[in-house]
Amino acid sequence: MKHHDRDSTSIPLPSLKRLPRYLNVLEEFLEEGVETISANDIASKLDLKPIQIRKDMAFTGIAGKPKVGYRTAELVSKLKEYLGWNKTTDAILVGAGSLGTALLGYQGFEKRGLNILAAFDSDPLKKGELRYGVPVKPIEELHGFIRGNRIRLAIIAVPGRNAQEVADKLVDAGIKGIWNFSPAEIQVPSGIVVKREDLSEGLAVLFVRLQEHRENGRR
Amino acid sequence: MKHHDRDSTSIPLPSLKRLPRYLNVLEEFLEEGVETISANDIASKLDLKPIQIRKDMAFTGIAGKPKVGYRTAELVSKLKEYLGWNKTTDAILVGAGSLGTALLGYQGFEKRGLNILAAFDSDPLKKGELRYGVPVKPIEELHGFIRGNRIRLAIIAVPGRNAQEVADKLVDAGIKGIWNFSPAEIQVPSGIVVKREDLSEGLAVLFVRLQEHRENGRR
DNA sequence: TAGATTGTTAATCGATTAACAATC
DNA sequence: TAGATTGTTAATCGATTAACAATC
């Protein structure tokens, strides 16, 4: 009945979101030469409880050794493998404005296997430019490029009013996953994965929590 | 015992995160001249269930009218008020790199009441520049500026290795809320609100869901 | 061996959803 | 008035946490 019926064995979303944080911490430990770590070591760095780390590892199928803990290097490599960060995934980006350009320049994507092959923009003036080494192409070439390179993943960084139209084109060209940085709520056929990345969500959390704090302080 | 003990009446985090999405939809309705809407109208646009919208409204204390629904304009204005988007909140930004600059240029902040007064960067070459009308100042002036303008909110857009150091300076200068766009896990004294905004989280969700889909497709 | 740490099973907690009385 | 839609109370579902046996 649910829309995107997933395996019952599928990892819960909150757990999945914690995995990159574990990886952050683990890579620090690895640099320091720490060979084995316990769930407790990770938990204390992240202000979480050890049991949560052990449970999350269980979801990924990664096993530690009682008394010993986890071998740091192995855990890093297995987590990367689980997340798909051990191999390159090609993507394209639509919308070479300030946000889009910032994403093209983001250093963190490379080490996580995301490779943005090209950016597309409707502004003909940007045609042929290179942004951080990524070519900007006219939107007319979008369809052919996706098809020709068998791209599965696209990033939307256009204004909200254009997002749906872009999403339609992407799906039509065969895109399977969309990372939506516009504030718009885009509709896609079932079977297409959409991840929204909406700054106003964070702003809401921040403002309301700040407000609550101020009120608590006043008491 | 919990770290940031909040009111027991406090809105759940998932509910809070949905409010900006409601607002998006509501403003569209408002533009179209729709005067009253039901929970069902909102829900169908967002692929949620009406009961969830009603429950979330209850958390905010906003009431509708049986049979009638909610008055669109009133709901928009009350939601904005609840989120603190009806008044201006001043902030500063640290790190005028590509991401920081993109944030300075983000149009969406203004209508949500976030006003970035100044950016700070350790690179002396950037000193005195204007980015989207926001002055870039040397990091040495950070403390004085925050104190002098009684700033409560700061945005961190520096590389991960510098994030903790910046956070310490911010807290020392009296900052109460930090929006952390670096991948680092920063530690702050209790009483300071931190909102992480980590792209690798989204990337993890996207890659794993895409992978699951591919596997389901193969069956 | 004894102690530390894991992984699993059960209990608790919190969010979502259902049921339904209240009401414009 | 009858029907539609709300808000509340109760039931369900899912994630977190606790308890504890297994074991390096």
Side-chain angles (χ1 to χ4, degrees):
Chain A
M1 215 51 162
K2 273 239 183 143
H3 232 232
H4 293 277
D5 229 6
R6 284 187 293 267
D7 275 7
S8 55
T9 53
S10 177
I11 186 171
L13 195 58
S15 296
L16 178 49
K17 287 182 173 175
R18 280 189 294 267
L19 300 185
R21 305 181 64 191
Y22 299 164
L23 212 34
N24 269 344
V25 168
L26 287 166
E27 283 176 335
E28 270 180 40
F29 277 117
L30 198 59
E31 273 177 30
E32 291 165 14
V34 181
E35 294 198 354
T36 64
I37 49 159
S38 68
N40 206 344
D41 297 333
I42 303 173
S44 64
K45 284 263 180 188
L46 295 174
D47 224 344
L48 301 174
K49 304 201 169 154
I51 175 65
Q52 195 163 46
I53 279 85
R54 298 209 302 277
K55 194 80 200 218
D56 287 346
M57 293 308 171
F59 285 126
T60 67
I62 300 171
K65 289 206 174 82
K67 156 102 178 169
V68 179
Y70 303 84
R71 284 194 39 229
T72 318
E74 191 189 333
L75 187 48
V76 166
S77 112
K78 287 201 168 170
L79 274 175
K80 279 190 178 168
E81 191 189 330
Y82 183 85
L83 294 172
W85 291 1
N86 61 336
K87 55 178 199 289
T88 299
T89 299
D90 290 332
I92 57 99
L93 180 145
V94 187
S98 59
L99 177 59
T101 302
L103 291 171
L104 293 177
Y106 182 55
Q107 305 286 327
F109 288 152
E110 195 185 342
K111 64 180 258 197
R112 294 177 180 99
L114 181 69
N115 183 31
I116 304 177
L117 286 180
F120 295 84
D121 200 288
S122 56
D123 182 352
L125 291 176
K126 292 177 183 167
K127 178 181 170 178
E129 281 184 32
L130 279 184
R131 300 272 172 91
Y132 298 100
V134 179
V136 180
K137 296 173 183 289
I139 197 83
E140 290 77 20
E141 296 179 15
L142 182 65
H143 189 98
F145 191 92
I146 292 171
R147 279 277 149 92
N149 294 279
R150 300 172 162 276
I151 310 285
R152 303 177 71 236
L153 180 61
I155 303 170
I156 293 183
V158 300
R161 64 183 170 284
N162 305 123
Q164 183 62 56
E165 171 197 0
V166 167
D168 293 344
K169 282 183 187 167
L170 291 171
V171 171
D172 183 53
I175 285 293
K176 297 299 178 204
I178 294 177
W179 205 0
N180 179 22
F181 282 82
S182 93
E185 306 280 343
I186 61 178
Q187 310 284 335
V188 297
S190 86
I192 309 291
V193 178
V194 177
K195 178 71 181 74
R196 300 171 0 96
E197 208 72 53
D198 187 356
L199 284 191
S200 60
E201 195 175 285
L203 200 59
V205 174
L206 208 42
F207 275 17
V208 172
R209 294 296 183 235
L210 259 180
Q211 182 59 25
E212 286 171 354
H213 253 275
R214 180 182 270 193
E215 278 159 10
N216 287 342
R218 270 188 194 145
R219 270 175 208 159
Chain B
M1 213 51 162
K2 275 237 182 141
H3 232 234
H4 293 278
D5 230 5
R6 285 188 292 268
D7 275 6
S8 55
T9 54
S10 178
I11 186 171
L13 195 57
S15 296
L16 178 49
K17 287 182 173 173
R18 281 189 294 268
L19 300 185
R21 305 181 64 190
Y22 299 164
L23 212 33
N24 270 344
V25 169
L26 287 166
E27 283 176 334
E28 270 179 40
F29 277 117
L30 198 58
E31 273 178 29
E32 290 165 13
V34 180
E35 294 198 354
T36 64
I37 50 158
S38 67
N40 206 344
D41 297 332
I42 303 173
S44 64
K45 285 264 180 186
L46 295 174
D47 224 345
L48 301 173
K49 305 200 169 152
I51 175 64
Q52 195 162 48
I53 278 84
R54 298 210 304 277
K55 193 81 199 216
D56 288 346
M57 294 309 171
F59 285 126
T60 67
I62 301 171
K65 289 206 173 83
K67 156 101 177 168
V68 179
Y70 303 83
R71 286 193 38 228
T72 318
E74 191 188 333
L75 188 48
V76 165
S77 111
K78 287 202 168 167
L79 274 174
K80 279 189 177 167
E81 190 189 331
Y82 183 85
L83 293 172
W85 291 2
N86 60 336
K87 55 179 201 287
T88 299
T89 299
D90 289 331
I92 56 99
L93 180 146
V94 186
S98 58
L99 176 58
T101 301
L103 291 172
L104 294 177
Y106 182 55
Q107 306 286 326
F109 288 152
E110 194 185 343
K111 66 180 255 196
R112 295 177 180 98
L114 182 69
N115 183 32
I116 304 178
L117 287 181
F120 295 84
D121 201 287
S122 57
D123 183 351
L125 290 177
K126 292 177 183 166
K127 178 180 169 178
E129 280 184 31
L130 279 185
R131 301 271 172 91
Y132 298 100
V134 179
V136 180
K137 297 174 181 290
I139 196 83
E140 290 77 20
E141 295 179 14
L142 181 65
H143 188 98
F145 191 92
I146 291 172
R147 279 278 149 92
N149 294 280
R150 298 171 163 278
I151 310 285
R152 302 177 72 236
L153 179 61
I155 303 171
I156 293 183
V158 301
R161 64 183 169 284
N162 305 122
Q164 183 62 57
E165 170 197 359
V166 168
D168 293 344
K169 282 183 189 169
L170 291 171
V171 171
D172 183 52
I175 285 292
K176 297 299 179 203
I178 295 177
W179 206 0
N180 179 21
F181 283 82
S182 93
E185 305 281 344
I186 61 177
Q187 311 284 335
V188 297
S190 86
I192 309 291
V193 178
V194 178
K195 178 72 179 75
R196 301 171 1 95
E197 209 70 54
D198 187 356
L199 285 190
S200 59
E201 197 175 284
L203 200 59
V205 174
L206 207 43
F207 275 17
V208 172
R209 294 296 184 235
L210 259 180
Q211 182 59 27
E212 286 170 353
H213 253 275
R214 180 181 270 193
E215 278 159 11
N216 288 341
R218 272 188 192 145
R219 271 177 207 155

